[in-house]
Amino acid sequence: MDLMGMMGKLKETQQKIEDTKKRLDTVLIDEQSADGLLKVTVTANRKIKSISVDDSLLEDKEQLEDYLIVTLNKAIERATSVNEKELDAVARMDMPSIPGMDNLFK
């Protein structure tokens, strides 16, 4: 096993992961409530970018809170899925299979 070569690959893969994380800040996930009254946008790194609330939701605090919880959770779920797929692909691209190291980049 070429340890120096492997360390070089590891450093290269870590850089690719960092680059991918930066790129995921620009990948936007749009989600909305079933009736379209609430819309949210998050990045693939799960940062909220915008929330749009229809005026009709402003009259009922509990309903608005429910809408926010459901819609944000759906958006975060989708963003997490995109994030994990992208980072897993980068981590697996160059790295040899080493037992116990499959969670190193998460």
Side-chain angles (χ1 to χ4, degrees):
M1 183 186 298
D2 175 15
L3 190 56
M4 291 307 288
M6 211 160 91
M7 292 306 287
K9 276 278 196 210
L10 180 61
K11 201 166 185 62
E12 184 180 315
T13 301
Q14 285 176 321
Q15 183 58 52
K16 286 181 182 177
I17 287 171
E18 288 308 310
D19 292 345
T20 300
K21 285 180 180 178
K22 286 179 188 165
R23 185 177 59 76
L24 290 174
D25 274 333
T26 67
V27 175
L28 301 179
I29 311 291
D30 294 315
E31 189 63 62
Q32 66 180 14
S33 59
D35 56 12
L37 296 179
L38 178 79
K39 297 175 183 170
V40 299
T41 301
V42 298
T43 70
N45 281 329
R46 299 172 294 266
K47 301 284 187 241
I48 298 169
K49 297 301 269 183
S50 70
I51 297 175
S52 171
V53 179
D54 186 273
D55 288 344
S56 66
L57 289 176
L58 298 178
E59 298 162 16
D60 185 341
K61 181 180 183 284
E62 273 186 38
Q63 183 184 16
L64 176 56
E65 290 169 346
D66 290 344
Y67 270 61
L68 283 167
I69 290 168
V70 170
T71 308
L72 284 168
N73 280 333
K74 284 195 319 190
I76 290 168
E77 228 174 78
R78 288 181 52 209
T80 298
S81 176
V82 170
N83 183 289
E84 288 175 353
K85 284 179 190 165
E86 292 286 326
L87 293 177
D88 283 350
V90 171
R92 295 180 198 289
M93 191 173 7
D94 295 322
M95 293 304 295
S97 180
I98 301 171
M101 292 189 72
D102 46 349
N103 288 324
L104 185 65
F105 300 109
K106 291 189 177 182

